[in-house]
Amino acid sequence: KSLLYYLRIEDIVERFGEPYEKGRLYNNLGKLYATLNDYRKSLDYFRKAELQCQYASGTDRSCELPEVFYTNIGIALHNTGDTKAGLEYLFKAQLILNGRKDLGALASLEHLIANVYFKSGDLYNALEHNRLAIDYAQKTQQSDVLTRTYKTAAEVYQDLYDFEKAFDYYTRYLDLLDSARLEEQRRQVILAERNSQLRSAEGEIRFLLAQQKIKDRDLRESRNEQDRLELTNRAL
């Protein structure tokens, strides 16, 4: 359904949209095709997004996050078999993020680069970039990213036959995974308690409103009775 609606608006955006709007549309279509494992089509749209980003450069509405396009193109190239060109794009994104000192985004990007190297069989580069990812994730306290980096480290060390380190990192991975599950369970308990308190508060409010309605009704009846007595007295 998403693809259907995106394709319906593609013609409209191509005819009337600004370059930054076209870039955003093409990037979303590229991600959608990547989700559908159509990496060739995905790459086509990411390249179109990159081109629109270049057109928008220097305008009032320039390309907002070129590193996103570079990362997407890099992964798409890797998935279509051109890992070398894909890494070149990933390093373009890395250069931008390093310039901004965006350690949070760098943690995810370095882990992505590590996985590309790992899947390509370059274990030492995979280990080095994963080490950077771990460092950035620890500094920015991103437990979700850190969990994934520990799992990758365990897998790389296992392929390097360093089973002691593989076991160490796999243990760290499981510990963080358990912590995340416990935190999610705690969050769910707190949410359930808040919902219970909210329902209780709503019940109290409904009770108070009902009481107020009864008081208002009694007051109206009392006033009506008083008006009736006054009318009767005047008639006498």
Side-chain angles (χ1 to χ4, degrees):
K1 277 190 175 180
S2 295
L3 182 60
L4 176 64
Y5 282 109
Y6 270 125
L7 292 175
R8 282 181 178 177
I9 65 172
E10 183 179 9
D11 180 61
I12 298 170
V13 174
E14 285 184 338
R15 284 190 293 164
F16 304 110
E18 297 292 330
Y20 76 93
E21 292 170 328
K22 294 176 184 177
R24 189 174 299 167
L25 171 69
Y26 296 146
N27 186 62
N28 289 344
L29 274 164
K31 289 193 292 185
L32 193 54
Y33 275 113
T35 303
L36 296 170
N37 297 324
D38 189 342
Y39 298 117
R40 293 287 177 189
K41 199 83 170 177
S42 171
L43 181 58
D44 289 342
Y45 275 106
F46 284 143
R47 287 205 179 281
K48 289 172 76 172
E50 180 190 23
L51 187 61
Q52 293 302 320
C53 183
Q54 293 171 356
Y55 287 152
S57 180
T59 65
D60 292 336
R61 298 298 300 271
S62 60
C63 179
E64 297 173 359
L65 298 170
E67 67 271 19
V68 173
F69 297 133
Y70 293 152
T71 301
N72 288 339
I73 292 172
I75 295 302
L77 283 166
H78 168 66
N79 286 329
T80 54
D82 195 348
T83 297
K84 182 179 178 181
L87 284 168
E88 289 176 1
Y89 271 94
L90 291 176
F91 286 131
K92 284 184 181 181
Q94 181 196 59
L95 188 63
I96 294 172
L97 294 176
N98 273 322
R100 288 211 309 261
K101 300 187 186 307
D102 190 343
L103 301 187
L106 276 168
S108 294
L109 180 62
E110 290 292 353
H111 182 242
L112 200 58
I113 294 172
N115 272 303
V116 170
Y117 275 121
F118 181 47
K119 291 176 181 177
S120 304
D122 188 340
L123 301 181
Y124 292 100
N125 269 317
L127 205 57
E128 175 59 21
H129 286 279
N130 197 63
R131 183 191 63 78
L132 289 171
I134 290 173
D135 182 47
Y136 294 144
Q138 287 174 336
K139 286 179 179 176
T140 54
Q141 298 181 342
Q142 296 183 85
S143 59
D144 56 333
V145 179
L146 195 57
T147 302
R148 296 196 299 271
T149 59
Y150 284 161
K151 185 173 185 290
T152 299
E155 291 172 344
V156 174
Y157 277 119
Q158 180 177 318
D159 280 11
L160 287 169
Y161 300 101
D162 191 337
F163 298 116
E164 185 176 346
K165 286 185 178 178
F167 179 75
D168 177 46
Y169 276 103
Y170 196 68
T171 302
R172 296 190 203 183
Y173 161 69
L174 290 177
D175 287 344
L176 273 182
L177 202 61
D178 287 340
S179 296
R181 286 171 180 166
L182 288 172
E183 179 61 27
E184 177 61 20
Q185 289 174 359
R186 189 183 71 83
R187 193 184 70 81
Q188 291 295 335
V189 168
I190 292 174
L191 186 61
E193 288 175 351
R194 288 178 179 172
N195 286 336
S196 178
Q197 291 169 357
L198 181 60
R199 285 193 296 271
S200 177
E202 287 175 349
E204 290 177 9
I205 291 170
R206 284 196 295 269
F207 175 72
L208 291 172
L209 288 174
Q211 282 190 321
Q212 186 62 45
K213 286 180 180 179
I214 292 172
K215 289 180 180 179
D216 291 345
R217 186 194 63 193
D218 290 344
L219 182 60
R220 284 196 303 273
E221 289 178 354
S222 175
R223 286 176 178 173
N224 289 337
E225 180 63 20
Q226 185 178 356
D227 291 343
R228 187 182 65 76
L229 289 173
E230 288 180 358
L231 289 172
T232 302
N233 289 334
R234 286 176 189 170
L236 294 174

